[in-house]
Amino acid sequence: MPMPIAVLVSGGGSNLQSIIDRIEAGMLDAEIKVVVSNKADAVGLTRARDHDIPTRVLLHTDFSSREAFDEEMVRAIRESGVNETGVVVMAGFMRIVTPVFLEPFRGRVVNIHPALLPSFPGVHGQADAADYGVKISGCTVHFVDEQMDHGPVIIQAAVPSLAGEDGNALGARILKLEHRIYPQALQWLAEGRLEMRGRFVHLKPACRKLAVQPPAGADVDTQALVWPPLEDGF
């Protein structure tokens, strides 16, 4: 049975699209029950509607506190059918969640960040890395806890950061890898292969591999390093 997921977006939703594409290609054993956004004009909502995925708009400005907003998000996600077997996927969701949100989904909320955590947390990860002059940058999929961009790491991908490259150029190369590693991490969750021990996430061996190819255009930087390695189809 496909793993039920709720996806939270605030903007363009390109990572949402990569998840949709892999579900439709039979590579990711999941079903998106709802896409929730705190912005009514988020392009991610349009992406969801184009694929007949239910959407909900919850404007955080309509609530008196973060906790009240988070409580309503929990209600919306549960009503969609994402229960104790489901996962909440943050895909460019620009809100810090509180324990009110995390507790009902403890260990089942994931996020992707466009930097190699713990370096360069926050909303400008790519630009901060480029401005710092790092030689290697990348992206991280991690479990979410009470601190911003802090939870246990599931998978990371690294690319060279080129001298003089600005955050937009670096971010564009990182984004291609985001579109590969996020669906991969979700497939591992769907297969029940991830185990948290403190801050360490252990990947159990695969019992099968999917003999499929990545979607067209899903090229990856030839100098990229991904760990744990991507499996067939990702």
Side-chain angles (χ1 to χ4, degrees):
M1 186 173 183
M3 177 178 69
I5 62 175
V7 183
L8 311 184
V9 300
S10 293
S14 69
N15 273 302
L16 165 64
Q17 189 66 58
S18 74
I19 294 166
I20 293 171
D21 291 345
R22 280 161 175 81
I23 290 174
E24 293 184 348
M27 298 163 59
L28 174 54
D29 189 20
E31 179 183 0
I32 302 175
K33 293 291 191 178
V34 68
V35 172
V36 180
S37 181
N38 63 320
K39 294 187 177 181
D41 59 350
V43 176
L45 293 170
T46 301
R47 293 181 187 272
R49 291 163 184 157
D50 286 345
H51 293 266
D52 297 320
I53 298 170
T55 62
R56 287 286 302 271
V57 176
L58 298 174
L59 303 179
H60 59 270
T61 52
D62 289 344
F63 295 85
S64 60
S65 66
R66 288 185 180 273
E67 289 77 10
F69 175 72
D70 284 359
E71 186 175 7
E72 186 59 30
M73 279 207 302
V74 170
R75 183 179 295 109
I77 290 169
R78 282 178 165 167
E79 287 176 353
S80 76
V82 176
N83 50 31
E84 63 276 359
T85 64
V87 171
V88 179
V89 178
M90 294 185 173
F93 185 64
M94 308 306 288
R95 296 281 298 173
I96 297 174
V97 293
T98 69
V100 169
F101 181 82
L102 289 174
E103 197 55 44
F105 306 112
R106 180 67 61 183
R108 295 184 291 118
V109 183
V110 292
N111 182 49
I112 190 161
H113 181 70
L116 294 175
L117 295 175
S119 298
F120 308 111
V123 297
H124 304 297
Q126 312 98 313
D128 291 343
D131 291 346
Y132 196 86
V134 299
K135 300 303 182 185
I136 297 174
S137 190
C139 46
T140 304
V141 179
H142 64 97
F143 287 106
V144 176
D145 63 13
E146 286 80 1
Q147 299 182 49
M148 182 179 65
D149 299 330
H150 174 267
V153 170
I154 299 171
I155 183 172
Q156 291 182 303
V159 295
S161 181
L162 307 178
E165 187 175 42
D166 66 13
N168 289 331
L170 177 59
R173 292 195 295 113
I174 291 173
L175 189 61
K176 292 180 180 180
L177 286 166
E178 292 182 44
H179 295 165
R180 301 286 296 277
I181 70 171
Y182 214 178
Q184 173 69 94
L186 294 176
Q187 181 60 22
W188 287 336
L189 278 167
E191 293 173 352
R193 292 175 55 198
L194 297 180
E195 180 183 356
M196 272 192 291
R197 302 175 195 165
R199 278 207 59 85
F200 294 92
V201 179
H202 296 262
L203 176 62
K204 300 175 185 177
C207 60
R208 66 183 177 92
K209 286 198 172 185
L210 301 175
V212 293
Q213 296 299 315
D219 58 303
V220 66
D221 193 307
T222 56
Q223 300 182 74
L225 170 65
V226 181
W227 195 264
L230 293 167
E231 296 179 348
D232 289 354
F234 293 91

